[in-house]
Amino acid sequence: MEQAVTDAAPSRGGSADAPSPATAIRRRERGRTAEVAGFVVVGLLLVAAIAAGFGALYRVFWGPEAFVERYVGMLADGRAADALTIPGVAVDSADLEAAGIPTTVSDALLRGSALSDDLGDVKVIASRMSEGVVEVTLSFSAAGQEGRSTFRVEQDGWSGLVPAWRFETTPLAVLDVTVRGSMRFTVNGFELDKRQVSPDGADAAPLDPVSMLVFAPGAYAVSVDTSAAEAAPVRALAQQSLAAVPVDVQARPTDEFNDIITGQVHDFLEQCTTQRVLQPTGCPFGYETYERVITPPTWSIAAQPNVAVVPDGAYWAIAPAGAIAHIEMDVQSIYDGSIFHVSQDVTFTIDGAIDILPDGSAAISIGSPDV
């Protein structure tokens, strides 16, 4: 009976399943710690997300890579005037002299009509900082060619909360163009006359190259398409800042020009036949005899030369070509006094030089390699 009363007596702390006050306090503290830790984790994730987002925005909109991409995008869109306003693009004489470029270099090609119209596939492939200058390297394609350019960019103060940038070295390049056979040529379809872009003006030597600033990156096709001369496009890729890109174009005479020269040569030879002498003055044919001429010689052209105009230095030459003249006359023998008739073909060869005058006309000098 006493044992039963002992078993039934309640414990001093209440129910045997209820936690003690100390245990409950520890549990509440652990809960608050976990809650705080959760907030910290969420905060860190949020900060990381913001940092990543800012980094992405910086890369796309505010970084040096974005600065270079905007410049190239303007070139791809044909916005030459806008590209020239980007800080660091325009150059002065000091920049040119430092790069070893004549200060007389022409800026005639710094316009939208001379830009390549198929600049694309632009991708930034590298970016590195060196002594305060960011070197941004990108790849691109233009006119079916793959290229790579590296630009030097430096910070140029701030624009609000983000940095502003400028080209530490201008992205412009130099096209050195030599055209044989024509003073006129086109670059990406934009027409030029060498005398317009040469520092020597109207006194420009036909074979002297002309230097012109161009935007880089870009593809430039130099061709000739005039009534007298033509040349298929010679393509050049401008990739690096202030780098000289040589272009050499050999024009050839058009069929129309060759026909005009042929007609003038034939007319010249016909004029020679009007001289009723043994040796027509200034003409590539003649006849020698020791007999006494009784009747003045009569000349005709039995076979005209097949004229071919070929490149020769700055302009053209008439390639050597064979022809046949015919002479008719009466002569008297110095031995026996007899009179007889001469009717004979005279073969000869012509050649010549052709110069293009400032007014665009051609000056032709016809001779013979045999004389």
Side-chain angles (χ1 to χ4, degrees):
M1 188 65 181
E2 182 178 329
Q3 181 66 42
V5 172
T6 301
D7 292 342
S11 65
R12 180 174 296 182
S15 172
D17 295 331
S20 67
T23 301
I25 291 172
R26 286 195 297 270
R27 289 180 179 177
R28 285 195 297 272
E29 289 177 345
R30 285 197 297 270
R32 284 194 296 270
T33 300
E35 184 177 352
V36 170
F39 282 127
V40 171
V41 171
V42 171
L44 290 174
L45 291 174
L46 182 60
V47 169
I50 293 174
F54 180 83
L57 290 174
Y58 179 84
R59 165 67 180 82
V60 174
F61 297 106
W62 305 314
E65 300 87 353
F67 172 78
V68 172
E69 287 179 321
R70 279 195 297 275
Y71 159 75
V72 178
M74 290 178 183
L75 301 185
D77 294 338
R79 296 162 55 196
D82 292 335
L84 281 173
T85 65
I86 293 179
V89 173
V91 291
D92 57 25
S93 57
D95 297 326
L96 296 173
E97 288 178 352
I101 297 171
T103 57
T104 54
V105 63
S106 171
D107 61 359
L109 294 179
L110 298 180
R111 62 186 70 217
S113 54
L115 287 174
S116 174
D117 59 2
D118 54 2
L119 178 62
D121 297 329
V122 179
K123 298 177 183 176
V124 174
I125 57 177
S127 179
R128 72 183 187 92
M129 175 77 76
S130 176
E131 298 181 353
V133 175
V134 182
E135 294 183 345
V136 179
T137 301
L138 54 80
S139 62
F140 65 92
S141 65
Q145 303 176 80
E146 302 295 326
R148 178 177 295 188
S149 298
T150 298
F151 301 101
R152 292 172 60 83
V153 179
E154 63 183 359
Q155 188 171 347
D156 187 25
W158 294 85
S159 177
L161 298 177
V162 295
W165 302 96
R166 65 176 287 111
F167 285 105
E168 187 266 346
T169 303
T170 177
L172 300 180
V174 179
L175 208 63
D176 286 335
V177 178
T178 301
V179 178
R180 293 174 173 82
S182 178
M183 294 293 275
R184 294 164 52 198
F185 58 96
T186 64
V187 179
N188 286 350
F190 180 70
E191 295 185 3
L192 292 164
D193 189 300
K194 186 178 296 184
R195 292 159 291 198
Q196 294 174 330
V197 294
S198 169
D200 297 324
D203 296 326
L207 290 181
D208 284 350
V210 289
S211 299
M212 295 169 286
L213 291 169
V214 292
F215 290 102
Y220 295 90
V222 183
S223 60
V224 176
D225 185 13
T226 70
S227 59
E230 59 188 3
V234 176
R235 302 188 181 277
L237 201 61
Q239 302 182 77
Q240 301 302 334
S241 301
L242 293 178
V245 183
V247 181
D248 197 306
V249 178
Q250 175 63 71
R252 68 177 186 86
T254 62
D255 292 340
E256 177 186 1
F257 184 69
N258 200 102
D259 291 343
I260 291 173
I261 299 301
T262 297
Q264 294 189 8
V265 170
H266 290 180
D267 289 345
F268 167 77
L269 294 177
E270 290 293 345
Q271 287 293 320
C272 284
T273 64
T274 63
Q275 300 184 46
R276 303 193 67 181
V277 295
L278 292 176
Q279 300 290 336
T281 302
C283 297
F285 57 82
Y287 185 80
E288 294 184 352
T289 181
Y290 293 104
E291 313 296 347
R292 180 183 176 190
V293 177
I294 301 299
T295 59
T298 299
W299 288 98
S300 62
I301 300 299
Q304 289 279 12
N306 184 17
V307 176
V309 179
V310 295
D312 180 40
Y315 291 114
W316 317 106
I318 299 172
I324 302 174
H326 186 80
I327 188 171
E328 300 269 355
M329 62 180 176
D330 291 332
V331 298
Q332 184 178 33
S333 172
I334 61 173
Y335 296 106
D336 58 14
S338 61
I339 296 175
F340 59 94
H341 184 72
V342 173
S343 178
Q344 185 171 334
D345 285 342
V346 178
T347 60
F348 64 97
T349 304
I350 64 109
D351 63 6
I354 305 170
D355 287 326
I356 304 300
L357 303 179
D359 63 359
S361 61
I364 307 172
S365 301
I366 300 173
S368 172
D370 300 330
V371 178

